[in-house]
Amino acid sequence: RIASMLCIKCHSGEGNKLVGKLVADVPKEFGVIHSYNITQDKEKGIGNWTDGEIIYFLKTGVRKNGTYAPPYMPKFPLMADQDIQAVVAWLRSDRPNVQAATTVQPKNQPNFLVKFLCRVAMKPLPCNEQIAVPDTSNPVVLGKYLSTALLGCFQCHSESFKTNNEVQPELSKGFFGGGNPLLDMEGNTVVSKNITPDPSGIGKMTEAQFVTLLKTGQRPDGSMIHYPMEPYPLLSDTEVKA
């Protein structure tokens, strides 16, 4: 369930397999970007990666060849050990969408900004030895974990990918205030929304309306959200309320 929410949106291509695709919502300032094949194929996918290499990459952003993943690739340094191990288990499973495929995406065309960020400005994230699953009986603690460490809501709903802080998300510029210029499927700029409790954000929304929006995509006025925002039907009501 966790892996489905994290991986399918960006990596699901032909036949719903995780063979990668053009990442349409990456801001134009980063260049032309495709996600990679993460099926079990040993040459074109991640079939020859060890569990440890996958976990290290997801936590630090450092690939097995030593290169650093660009800022638009989410990193999960705060994800609980149990959850990140579940992601690896799913990638190793017999599910149809992770079975070996030889699809290769076009070569990425990152611009100078991305190269500078990856080689100079950004450093590998820490790989903490042990992170426990949060107390699920405490809705605030659970909600913070879901929205920062696991689902990474702050990544899109803060000011910019360039100034996000994966280790201390609350220090991200414009934390949850929106303003990140994303793209829809037609290449039009879509500025992420303010999701703070301010009336200009979601302050006027009831809990029930928020649950409906996040799980089904329907706004309080009856209209539907659109890409790059997508609903999360796999979340439980308890998780959304948290």
Side-chain angles (χ1 to χ4, degrees):
R1 182 175 73 108
I2 295 168
S4 294
M5 291 189 291
L6 298 180
C7 303
I8 287 179
K9 176 182 177 181
C10 289
H11 290 275
S12 183
E14 54 190 82
N16 206 35
K17 281 195 172 184
L18 302 189
V19 295
K21 62 180 179 181
L22 174 67
V23 185
D25 55 332
V26 171
K28 294 178 181 178
E29 61 181 321
F30 289 125
V32 179
I33 307 300
H34 292 79
S35 59
Y36 293 134
N37 180 335
I38 57 171
T39 70
Q40 296 169 7
D41 188 84
K42 292 186 177 182
E43 293 186 6
K44 308 304 181 183
I46 58 172
N48 65 349
W49 287 47
T50 66
D51 292 358
E53 287 169 340
I54 295 174
I55 290 172
Y56 189 76
F57 170 65
L58 291 173
K59 281 184 169 288
T60 67
V62 179
R63 304 184 183 95
K64 63 178 297 183
N65 64 4
T67 59
Y68 187 70
Y72 42 77
M73 166 62 197
K75 288 87 177 174
F76 303 94
L78 304 178
M79 188 185 294
D81 295 351
Q82 177 179 311
D83 288 337
I84 206 163
Q85 288 163 7
V87 173
V88 174
W90 183 78
L91 291 169
R92 303 292 198 203
S93 72
D94 59 359
R95 297 300 174 89
N97 43 3
V98 296
Q99 298 310 298
T102 59
T103 304
V104 177
Q105 297 300 328
K107 189 174 181 179
N108 285 336
Q109 301 173 40
N111 59 16
F112 175 79
L113 171 63
V114 172
K115 294 176 181 177
F116 173 80
L117 290 173
C118 291
R119 298 176 184 176
V120 179
M122 294 184 168
K123 305 299 181 184
L125 302 175
C127 188
N128 297 317
E129 292 186 2
Q130 292 185 327
I131 300 179
V133 173
D135 180 4
T136 57
S137 67
N138 185 323
V140 174
V141 171
L142 176 60
K144 179 181 179 180
Y145 175 72
L146 291 169
S147 60
T148 57
L150 191 60
L151 299 178
C153 306
F154 79 96
Q155 295 277 5
C156 289
H157 288 280
S158 295
E159 186 172 307
S160 172
F161 291 123
K162 301 189 295 293
T163 53
N164 282 339
N165 189 322
E166 285 91 353
V167 179
Q168 293 180 282
E170 63 275 12
L171 298 183
S172 299
K173 193 171 182 180
F175 182 59
F176 282 150
N180 200 350
L182 309 172
L183 301 178
D184 64 16
M185 296 301 289
E186 286 72 46
N188 302 308
T189 299
V190 179
V191 178
S192 64
K193 300 294 186 182
N194 178 346
I195 55 172
T196 70
D198 190 81
S200 63
I202 60 172
K204 295 180 180 179
M205 200 177 295
T206 67
E207 182 183 79
Q209 289 172 333
F210 184 76
V211 171
T212 297
L213 186 150
L214 205 57
K215 294 190 69 174
T216 72
Q218 184 178 33
R219 300 188 184 96
D221 64 4
S223 63
M224 300 299 292
I225 61 174
H226 56 80
Y227 192 90
M229 178 62 188
E230 294 182 334
Y232 288 87
L234 295 180
L235 289 174
S236 67
D237 286 1
T238 298
E239 290 170 330
V240 179
K241 291 175 182 179

